[in-house]
């Protein structure tokens, strides 16, 4: 069995992520999605919890027609020391043979550790990015919904994700009303 590793934050998952997983599964038997920065949430850059992101990603993959029996999603807390992070990924995940990433620094770390590294499949990268989804949510622009699977949009709405991002951006608590 050939197992691939696909690390990312998925804040939130979008169609580009779904495309990447589908393409990776054409090359490997199973993909491990290492959901990074698992301890961060309710921040402008990381508005959703690891559990919420796992929920969104599973529903988005299901909507995209991905066989979930071939997907393992594991939350990985971030650490400042990059070699320590690499060890953490290895200890949290089942063994893997190849890593898929678009991040040159992550690619360097894994290559130096002896892993085969392949370019993460990209799908309209200029359009599909979690940063763009968060920016549109912050602006109140409804076009963000076109960038994510419908199931992911429904979860974001249920979680009041736009409000969460706007609150994180404001840097202030709600004003006290006497």
């Amino acid at each position: 069995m050939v197992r691939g590793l696909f690390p990312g934050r998925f804040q939130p998952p979008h169609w580009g992520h779904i495309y990447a997983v589908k393409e990776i599964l054409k090359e490997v038997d199973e993909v491990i999605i290492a959901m990074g920065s698992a301890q961060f949430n309710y921040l402008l850059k990381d508005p959703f919890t690891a559990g919420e992101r796992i929920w969104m990603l599973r529903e988005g993959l299901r909507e995209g027609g991905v066989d979930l029996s071939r997907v393992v999603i594991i939350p990985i807390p971030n650490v400042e020391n990059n070699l320590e992070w690499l060890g953490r990924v290895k200890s949290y995940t089942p063994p893997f043979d190849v890593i898929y990433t678009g991040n040159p620094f992550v690619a360097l770390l894994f290559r130096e550790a002896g892993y085969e590294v392949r370019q993460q499949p990209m799908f309209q990268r200029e359009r599909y990015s979690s940063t763009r989804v968060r920016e549109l949510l912050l602006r109140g622009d409804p076009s963000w919904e076109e960038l994510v699977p419908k199931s992911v949009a429904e979860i974001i709405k249920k979680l009041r994700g736009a409000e969460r991002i706007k609150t994180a951006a404001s840097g202030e608590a709600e004003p006290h009303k006497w």
Side-chain angles (χ1 to χ4, degrees), residues 32 37 50 55 63 85 129 136 176:
I32 302 163
S37 302
W55 178 26
E63 185 177 331
W85 174 80
S129 83
L136 293 169
H176 187 71

Side-chain angles (χ1 to χ4, degrees), residues 14-24 61 121-124:
H14 52 70
W15 281 117
H17 294 129
I18 307 306
Y19 170 82
V21 171
K22 289 174 90 164
E23 291 299 305
I24 291 168
L61 291 169
M122 299 285 191
F123 178 66
Q124 295 181 24

Side-chain angles (χ1 to χ4, degrees), residues 90-104:
K90 289 168 53 177
S91 73
Y92 276 56
T93 62
F96 53 89
D97 307 292
V98 58
I99 177 168
Y100 292 84
T101 183
N103 181 317

Side-chain angles (χ1 to χ4, degrees), residues 48-69:
F48 302 106
T49 68
E52 291 165 347
R53 290 180 281 148
I54 290 168
W55 178 26
M56 287 184 230
L57 186 55
R58 279 188 55 84
E59 293 306 313
L61 291 169
R62 185 185 334 269
E63 185 177 331
V66 173
D67 177 0
L68 294 179
S69 73

